[in-house]
Amino acid sequence: ADPKNRDCDAPGSWFCRGQYPPGMQKILAEKRDFSQLEDFNKDEDDSEYQKKYFENLNKKKKLTEGKPTSGPKKQPWKPRELSPQVIAKLNSEWKDTEQTSGMWSLISNNR
């Protein structure tokens, strides 16, 4: 995070709230904060916005309902069979490193 985007309560303070980078200001200016449907204390009427919002949700749901997913169905993973020669070659290249010791620790402790 760019230190220029920090908004600290005092210079050098440990408490600095973050803020969005300047490049996002245009997008953020167009946003609309969420409010409860039952908020009777608000002055503005956003029923048209809510109507469009829920229409768009329903459109997306209708487009995806009943349609098969594109592409082939996923098959369950199964390990491939290796020949004894390939296994011997892999075992001859094995080295005891921090990573292999860590993996062995995870496997042997059933984690």
Side-chain angles (χ1 to χ4, degrees):
D2 190 347
K4 290 183 256 176
N5 291 327
R6 291 188 186 140
D7 185 13
C8 300
D9 62 348
S13 171
W14 63 270
F15 182 76
C16 300
R17 67 180 188 90
Q19 59 184 6
Y20 291 104
M24 292 191 65
Q25 294 307 317
K26 180 177 181 267
I27 295 168
L28 294 172
E30 297 171 2
K31 77 175 178 64
R32 183 163 188 165
D33 292 331
F34 175 79
S35 64
Q36 290 294 123
L37 293 175
E38 300 85 14
D39 188 358
F40 300 109
N41 296 320
K42 61 184 176 187
D43 295 331
E44 61 186 55
D45 178 33
D46 61 353
S47 58
E48 187 61 31
Y49 169 78
Q50 290 175 8
K51 180 181 171 189
K52 288 180 182 179
Y53 176 82
F54 286 111
E55 283 175 1
N56 286 335
L57 277 179
N58 290 331
K59 278 184 200 175
K60 187 174 184 179
K61 190 184 288 186
K62 286 179 184 176
L63 289 174
T64 58
E65 282 179 357
K67 286 191 174 184
T69 56
S70 61
K73 288 194 177 230
K74 271 191 150 180
Q75 298 297 321
W77 180 84
K78 63 178 183 180
R80 62 182 176 172
E81 295 291 323
L82 298 177
S83 68
Q85 294 84 10
V86 172
I87 293 172
K89 183 176 185 295
L90 290 171
N91 286 337
S92 70
E93 296 173 357
W94 181 85
K95 293 184 176 126
D96 188 9
T97 65
E98 187 177 332
Q99 289 80 13
T100 57
S101 296
M103 289 297 290
W104 171 249
S105 175
L106 289 173
I107 293 167
S108 63
N109 291 319
N110 202 22
R111 290 188 182 170

